[in-house]
Amino acid sequence: MKLLHKLSTVALSVFMVGALSSCSDFLDRQDDGKLQESEVFNKYTEVEKLVTQLYSDMYNRSRGLELLYSHNIGTICDELEFNKADSDAPYKILNGELSADPASIGQVNGGGWWWEQYQSIRKANKIIWGVDYYNTPDHPSKPGLLKQRVAEATFFRAYFHYMLLRWHGEMVYMDRVMSPDEDPSTYAVRESVHTSVEKMCKDLDAAAADLPVQQSGMEMGRIDKGACLALKAIVRYIAAQPLYNGGEAGVSPLGNNDTRVGAEEYKVYKPERWAAVLEAAQQFFTECGNRYSLYSKYSETDFVDDLNEKSKSGKKVYTRLSKMFQEVDFYLTESILTLKGGKDTRWIQDNLPDREVFGGQTRNQPTQEQVDQYEYIVGDYGYSIFSNEAKTGGYDDENPYVNRDPRFYRDIIYPGAIYQTITYSPQEGGSDEINNSTLRDGKKTRTGYALRKFVYEDYDKDGSVTAMYFPLIRLPEIMLIYAEALNETDNPDAGQKVYDLLNEIRTRSFMKKVPESLKGDKEMRREYINRERRVELFFENNRYFNLRYKGIPTSSEELLKEARYLGLSSDPDERAQKWIENGNGEYPQTQHYIHGMIPVPDTDGKVQIGSQTYKMKRIEGKQMVRQFTYRNYFFPINSNEIAKTPSLIQNPGW
């Protein structure tokens, strides 16, 4: 199998976790004395090694494809269902078994936990302080590199605080080296997210000022200006969301249980927070817009089927969409911050259907909630499958896998789909028979679907893939942030600009345009932006966090929808089907239930699987009711940290 040889040997060679200097322990313990510090900081090469450790920390803290041991973070929201393979991490979280006890946290191993981020932040602070205190000499033949290394450390200080923001919310922004003689209670006090975001942006601006727009040569792959400004737009975006900016009409998503430091501040909606998002996004495109472009290799006539006999997909998967996450061009032009992950052939194997030829486990299974996001094409435009345009234009819920967004065929293995030369058969008695039961130990699908995104089309379990890559930040995310900021600030050009931004993303994927009527309808623009984010960034660690930023799971609208849903029937499958037949639109987003589809034999059915025809019927996942309460907006700080430093105060509900 062709690998990303060029990328792994050149662009990311500086990130390899190798044999570093004996100083690797130096920043993780109390100082032994000025002599050891001076030995480190009086040499440029030693400082560079310390900065390189921060890159390896990014890999360990971010973990791209698997944030919960072997599972994606999407398994604990409505993106994915899971099997109990290798670990019970999603089960423990969804069943309410997770606690703040360190042993409990260790069992879910998210990589984003409180103490780990601060370990890396301390390293960054020590580097920034040490270079200044000891007046570290610059690179002897390349003056200016030392300034870049300090800028990289400054970026990482902001980045690891951003990780705290995602997982834990409020934090202590550590922007200096603390003396062992200082009383932690005087500085270890969590502050308002808005205060922390301002500090992050200050660090990111400082780093951006000393970094080039594009790294080249041996520097290729290191942090550049674009990564700094993109992250700035992201943290501004988080601060403008309801969880931190107005809640639901002035009511916190956590209800009366909101004990956060900034709880009262977060209830007040301030439009200037959205203005700051717009400004940050505009800055990114003004200063770095020419640096990045959407991956556009291969044309509309190129299908995966044309690559080799083994990659047959029934002429459904465009080569551009299948290859984009594997090609060097993608990581050089579209990926703004790249993770060189450690996942290999085994990860692909685990996510393929449970067939002998694959040895798969169907580990991360797309839900019906995710499948429903892929629009139906009518003429020159794409529409929600729940819209009148889709219904009158031919969408049939019993035959739902035709005329869909091309990304659907790239992302999802669905009933009747061809992966390689094998037809996916989740019907009763089929080779991939659905296992919708309360037992979770089986390797079969529980939703009727299997994952295709990031899975190589020419996978061979007897072959080898040495590494996979994952875009931690890529261009479409910043484009969507820009679009949402234009819309929420009622920018006079919002209609046309949002229309253009959405269509640029869609055109790259051979998807039809958004309707022209969107230009004059703010709510319609909001709907399309949200749906585009769920489709374009599926399985990229976005949906789980975005749900919480927007306060959706506990919103009054979604809770009322859930009450109506449960009132339809006591039979789960019956209410799953009735909800759609009654024209209720998307399922409630309270995160308590997930859904799928099962093929039902029907002589008049239009879904062909093998020699038989079927119609599709919706089902509700037979599982424990997924736990989601106010406490699930944030992960806990491990209890031993609270015991050592009570001034931190635990997250609500933990």
Side-chain angles (χ1 to χ4, degrees), residues 249-266:
V251 177
S252 169
L254 284 70
N256 294 327
N257 302 290
D258 197 344
T259 56
R260 293 176 291 170
V261 170
E264 293 304 313
E265 180 185 3
Y266 305 147

Side-chain angles (χ1 to χ4, degrees), residues 396-642:
D396 180 359
D397 208 53
E398 293 183 350
N399 181 32
Y401 309 127
V402 295
N403 297 331
R404 301 295 286 271
D405 185 327
R407 289 169 290 190
F408 168 72
Y409 305 104
R410 186 272 311 274
D411 294 352
I412 313 291
I413 299 178
Y414 56 91
I418 299 172
Y419 174 75
Q420 295 190 357
T421 58
I422 294 174
T423 300
Y424 185 58
S425 309
Q427 74 277 12
E428 184 177 354
S431 299
D432 309 295
E433 183 176 6
I434 194 169
N435 177 26
N436 186 30
S437 72
T438 55
L439 297 177
R440 312 191 69 83
D441 295 326
K443 298 179 182 179
K444 300 293 186 182
T445 180
R446 301 169 60 79
T447 64
Y449 302 105
L451 181 71
R452 197 169 200 151
K453 189 172 183 180
F454 290 108
V455 173
Y456 291 169
E457 289 293 328
D458 54 349
Y459 160 81
D460 184 343
K461 75 173 184 177
D462 296 321
S464 176
V465 182
T466 58
M468 297 180 69
Y469 299 84
F470 183 84
L472 292 172
I473 304 175
R474 62 184 178 100
L475 185 58
E477 180 175 3
I478 309 305
M479 294 171 71
L480 289 167
I481 286 174
Y482 186 27
E484 191 167 342
L486 286 164
N487 199 46
E488 297 304 321
T489 55
D490 295 317
N491 186 280
D493 298 323
Q496 185 64 52
K497 286 186 176 180
V498 171
Y499 178 84
D500 290 341
L501 284 163
L502 291 176
N503 285 333
E504 187 177 351
I505 296 171
R506 292 156 77 96
T507 298
R508 185 273 292 283
S509 297
F510 310 112
M511 178 52 182
K512 299 296 184 180
K513 294 182 177 180
V514 298
E516 295 275 349
S517 54
L518 172 146
K519 295 179 183 178
D521 189 331
K522 179 178 181 179
E523 189 56 42
M524 186 178 182
R525 292 195 296 269
R526 185 180 287 154
E527 174 192 336
Y528 268 88
I529 291 168
N530 288 336
R531 189 161 55 245
E532 192 68 24
R533 179 176 284 111
R534 290 184 68 177
V535 168
E536 179 64 23
L537 301 178
F538 165 58
F539 203 66
E540 296 185 41
N541 304 326
N542 189 276
R543 170 67 174 167
Y544 170 83
F545 296 106
N546 213 51
L547 270 167
R548 286 153 175 78
Y549 301 152
K550 292 185 179 298
I552 291 173
T554 56
S555 70
S556 59
E557 178 182 357
E558 297 304 322
L559 291 171
L560 287 172
K561 283 174 65 176
E562 180 176 272
R564 294 202 310 272
Y565 172 75
L566 295 175
L568 288 174
S569 173
S570 59
D571 179 80
D573 291 348
E574 184 177 353
R575 64 193 180 211
Q577 189 67 29
K578 275 188 174 182
W579 181 264
I580 302 302
E581 291 175 350
N582 293 351
N584 288 302
E586 292 185 26
Y587 288 114
Q589 299 177 67
T590 56
Q591 306 305 297
H592 294 149
Y593 303 91
I594 58 94
H595 298 83
M597 271 203 185
I598 189 169
V600 177
D602 192 313
T603 55
D604 296 324
K606 297 177 182 177
V607 176
Q608 186 82 28
I609 306 177
S611 60
Q612 295 188 19
T613 57
Y614 299 82
K615 66 179 181 180
M616 299 305 299
K617 182 178 179 182
R618 289 174 178 255
I619 57 173
E620 182 183 296
K622 291 181 174 63
Q623 68 225 359
M624 75 289 182
V625 176
R626 292 177 165 216
Q627 300 292 315
F628 192 99
T629 68
Y630 70 93
R631 83 172 193 159
N632 297 104
Y633 275 98
F634 305 103
F635 272 70
I637 302 173
N638 48 311
S639 57
N640 57 351
E641 292 292 325
I642 298 292

